[in-house]
């Protein structure tokens, strides 16, 4: 473990912007829910009625988890039920970035030539990520106590959130030992996170029905921490399971790292054929081979989100009919012709931001290909630079369009069935989803600009996505100035369904995306490959 301290300082220096961003922002989001619930449900009777309807709604339980209690703290903890998934995602990505990604880039071998222990890099990545989750827990618990909520419940909720992050940091560490590629390691860890979420979802939804498979939620670390029930039962013992699993995963990662060579994975990559098939002899077919798995995963995720959001619509309408404050909240989310349209307009915005995350990830594949040396090998052939870039941008631009279309179609059908009007709801919901595309393309084009002009800063495109998410989540709650809200391209999209459509924002945003992409392509044509 020699040199772990210095590597910790190196990790902190490299992540001095990104690490505090997710740790602090995700910690403050639940605190904003407190004032929101206080204004929407000012009396205990209001909160009791809201909890009664929400606890038995399969859509709400699928999104946020089980609800047992109607206190302010219990509602806030339940409303933040999806945040552990985001914390787990950021944690596993952080660990893989400083382990497998560094090995793939050759940095680990270079550092290992000095006086550094074999497992120092892994230890540094885990310690920093665990520390970020502890920081998140401290900020969250302090913020909740400062708003008058009980100390025990605040500490318990914050600890649960942090424990999920620590568990999936361990998952990322194990995944980093399995394959020789960072992208494969991310996929394995993300699938594990998705499976944990689905197990939690299946078990909790079953519990509000017959309960035949309610035990499934106890197979998921997300389910463990959500069954701690802060501000209510205040169970500590499920957290012990998360601590034990974290220690087990960390120990397994160290043991697996000792069984492989530096730069290699436990699963050796399969040797390919000596000659490529006819379908792989062009840049587009090669890009399809590289992007198809990612595209399929995102499409499946959009379909699932569409099904969940569409299934919640009827409950939103029923709740809003009984609570005028809740109706006003959905009206602030967007839409002008009823609570249902307002909710669906807000859902469309959420799906748009998620699609932008996919677009940025697909575009950053260009940088991955360049850093790994694959781009240089392709460009050494007769393929031109713009044709190579264009083959990847095809998926950056068309991929989100396909994902939003499928997600919108599923959501439209689910909404139509819930409202008994498939013919009326389907085109409206589908139109609201696909209307987000120009804003998605702006963020994709910004990523192209960074890749072409400042390639080392290309990952900063995730900061733009994070800013859009933050404005979407808390912009209306904090009543931010309009010029601040206008920073996000999604602010300029008409709120559909229910709003007044206008061609101007679509044209302007598409032109902005075209200009940014053209500037990025021009920069790429004039710089060295790989960038130095």
């Amino acid at each position: 473990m020699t040199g772990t301290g210095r590597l910790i300082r190196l990790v902190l220096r490299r992540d001095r912007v990104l690490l505090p961003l997710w740790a602090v922002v995700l910690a403050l989001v639940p605190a904003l829910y407190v004032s929101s619930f206080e204004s929407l449900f000012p009396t205990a009777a209001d909160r009791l009625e809201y909890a009664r309807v929400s606890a038995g709604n399969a859509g709400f339980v699928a999104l946020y988890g089980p609800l047992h209690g109607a206190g302010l703290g219990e509602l806030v903890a339940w409303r933040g039920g999806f945040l552990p998934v985001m914390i787990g995602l950021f944690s596993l990505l952080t660990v893989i970035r400083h382990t497998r990604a560094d090995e793939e880039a050759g940095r680990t071998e270079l550092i290992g030539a000095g006086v550094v222990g074999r497992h120092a890099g892994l230890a540094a990545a885990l310690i920093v990520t665990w520390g970020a989750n502890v920081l998140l827990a401290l900020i969250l618990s302090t913020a909740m106590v400062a708003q008058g909520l009980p100390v025990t419940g605040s500490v318990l909720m914050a600890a649960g959130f942090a424990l999920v992050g620590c568990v999936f940091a361990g998952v990322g560490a194990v995944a980093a030992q399995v394959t020789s590629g960072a992208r494969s390691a991310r996929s394995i860890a993300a699938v594990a996170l998705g499976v944990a979420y689905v197990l939690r979802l299946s078990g909790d939804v079953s519990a509000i029905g017959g309960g035949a498979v309610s035990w499934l939620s106890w197979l998921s670390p997300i389910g463990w921490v959500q069954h701690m029930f802060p501000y209510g039962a205040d169970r500590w013992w499920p957290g012990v399971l998360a601590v034990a699993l974290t220690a087990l995963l960390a120990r397994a990662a160290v043991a697996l790292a000792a069984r492989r060579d530096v730069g290699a994975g436990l699963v050796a990559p399969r040797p390919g054929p000596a000659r490529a098939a006819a379908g792989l002899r062009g840049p587009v077919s090669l890009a399809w081979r590289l992007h198809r798995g990612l595209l399929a995963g995102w499409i499946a995720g959009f379909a699932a989100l569409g099904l969940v959001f569409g299934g919640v619509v009827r409950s939103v309408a029923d709740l809003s009919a009984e609570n005028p404050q809740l109706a006003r909240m959905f009206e602030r989310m967007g839409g002008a012709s009823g609570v249902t349209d307002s909710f669906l307009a807000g859902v469309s915005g959420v799906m748009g931001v998620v699609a932008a995350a996919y677009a940025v990830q697909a575009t950053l594949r260009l940088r991955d290909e360049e850093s790994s040396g694959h781009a240089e090998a392709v460009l050494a052939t007769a393929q031109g630079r713009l044709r190579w870039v264009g083959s990847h941008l095809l998926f950056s631009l068309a991929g989100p369009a396909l994902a939003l279309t499928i997600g919108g179609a599923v959501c439209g059908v689910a909404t139509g069935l819930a409202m008994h009007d498939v013919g009326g709801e389907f085109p409206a919901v589908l139109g609201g989803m696909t209307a987000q595309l120009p804003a998605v393309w702006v963020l994709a084009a910004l990523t192209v600009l960074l890749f072409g002009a400042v390639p080392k800063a290309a990952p900063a495109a995730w900061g733009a996505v994070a800013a859009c998410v933050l404005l979407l989540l808390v912009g209306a709650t904090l009543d931010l100035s309009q010029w601040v809200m206008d920073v996000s391209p999604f602010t300029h999209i008409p709120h559909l369904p229910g709003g007044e459509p206008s061609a101007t924002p679509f044209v302007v945003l598409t032109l902005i995306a075209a200009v940014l992409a053209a500037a990025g392509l021009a920069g790429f044509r004039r710089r060295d490959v790989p960038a130095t």
Side-chain angles (χ1 to χ4, degrees):
M1 303 294 283
T2 303
T4 301
R6 292 185 178 182
L7 289 180
I8 289 174
R9 291 196 294 272
L10 176 62
V11 172
L12 290 173
R13 179 176 177 79
R14 292 177 60 194
D15 280 4
R16 60 187 179 275
V17 175
L18 186 60
L19 203 65
L21 183 64
W22 67 261
V24 174
V25 169
L26 293 180
L28 294 178
V29 169
L32 299 174
Y33 293 150
V34 177
S35 59
S36 178
F37 272 106
E38 285 179 331
S39 62
L40 290 172
F41 309 103
T43 68
D46 291 334
R47 291 193 287 270
L48 182 62
E49 178 61 18
Y50 177 76
R52 182 188 66 80
V53 177
S54 300
N57 181 270
F60 285 162
V61 171
L63 276 175
Y64 306 127
L67 174 60
H68 293 276
L72 178 61
E74 291 169 301
L75 290 175
V76 170
W78 171 75
R79 180 60 179 81
F82 192 75
L83 288 176
V85 179
M86 300 177 65
I87 294 169
L89 179 63
F90 281 114
S91 296
L92 67 89
L93 290 177
T94 300
V95 171
I96 293 174
R97 164 176 160 79
H98 295 290
T99 53
R100 173 53 61 187
D102 279 355
E103 284 192 54
E104 191 175 19
R107 285 187 288 269
T108 299
E109 190 172 8
L110 179 64
I111 293 173
V115 186
V116 176
R118 177 176 176 82
H119 302 303
L122 175 60
L126 285 172
I127 290 171
V128 169
T129 307
W130 290 339
N133 282 283
V134 171
L135 174 64
L136 181 149
L138 290 174
I139 295 173
L140 174 56
S141 58
T142 301
M144 301 300 280
V145 171
Q147 297 192 73
L149 292 177
V151 175
T152 301
S154 300
V155 172
L156 193 64
M157 182 177 75
F161 283 20
L163 285 173
V164 172
C166 292
V167 167
F168 284 98
V171 171
V174 172
Q177 315 309 317
V178 175
T179 70
S180 58
R183 183 170 295 273
S184 298
R186 295 186 193 105
S187 298
I188 292 171
V191 167
L193 177 61
V195 169
Y197 180 72
V198 169
L199 287 172
R200 195 283 305 163
L201 180 156
S202 302
D204 291 340
V205 171
S206 173
I208 64 176
V213 292
S214 60
W215 52 270
L216 287 175
S217 61
W218 290 100
L219 300 180
S220 166
I222 300 174
W224 299 343
V225 301
Q226 289 192 341
H227 283 79
M228 294 166 74
F229 297 127
Y231 303 108
D234 285 337
R235 299 175 180 170
W236 287 92
W237 64 265
V240 177
L241 299 176
V243 173
L245 181 57
T246 299
L248 179 63
L249 290 170
R251 183 68 186 88
V254 172
L256 293 175
R259 296 172 61 87
R260 63 175 182 85
D261 294 332
V262 175
L266 293 174
V267 178
R270 293 181 303 171
R275 293 182 178 275
L280 284 176
R281 293 179 181 174
V284 175
S285 56
L286 177 59
W288 161 251
R289 182 69 174 263
L290 296 173
H291 285 269
R292 62 184 182 182
L294 182 67
L295 178 61
W298 278 94
I299 287 176
F302 270 79
L305 286 175
L307 183 62
V308 170
F309 285 135
V312 174
V313 168
R314 170 56 68 180
S315 298
V316 168
D318 293 341
L319 281 173
S320 301
E322 300 173 7
N323 191 296
Q325 293 89 350
L326 185 62
R328 285 196 292 270
M329 180 191 76
F330 287 123
E331 288 170 4
R332 290 200 304 268
M333 291 171 63
S337 62
V339 172
T340 300
D341 284 347
S342 300
F343 172 75
L344 290 171
V347 165
S348 297
V350 171
M351 297 283 271
V353 174
V354 175
Y358 164 57
V360 169
Q361 184 180 12
T363 306
L364 287 176
R365 183 65 195 240
L366 290 164
R367 182 57 181 163
D368 291 343
E369 291 293 292
E370 182 181 12
S371 300
S372 63
H374 298 159
E376 195 171 8
V378 172
L379 295 176
T381 66
Q383 302 297 336
R385 291 192 178 200
L386 294 185
R387 191 179 178 192
W388 173 73
V389 173
S391 65
H392 287 274
L393 294 187
L394 175 64
F395 293 89
S396 303
L397 303 178
L402 181 59
L404 282 171
T405 299
I406 292 177
V410 173
C411 186
V413 171
T415 300
L417 293 174
M419 305 300 291
H420 306 292
D421 184 19
V422 176
E425 296 292 344
F426 179 82
V429 175
L430 181 59
M433 294 286 185
T434 54
Q436 309 299 316
L437 273 175
V440 173
W441 289 339
V442 168
L443 293 183
L446 176 63
T447 311
V448 176
L449 175 62
L450 292 172
F451 167 72
V454 195
K456 292 184 179 180
W462 287 114
V465 177
C468 292
V469 171
L470 183 61
L471 291 174
L472 179 69
L473 290 176
V474 303
T477 303
L478 297 180
D479 196 21
L480 297 177
S481 301
Q482 187 59 43
W483 69 268
V484 177
M485 298 296 293
D486 287 343
V487 170
S488 171
F490 294 94
T491 303
H492 305 279
I493 298 294
H495 296 293
L496 300 173
E500 291 294 332
S502 172
T504 302
F506 298 106
V507 173
V508 172
L509 288 173
T510 302
L511 289 175
I512 291 173
V515 170
L516 292 175
L521 293 175
F524 179 66
R525 290 188 64 186
R526 289 170 172 79
R527 69 171 175 84
D528 293 335
V529 177
T532 57

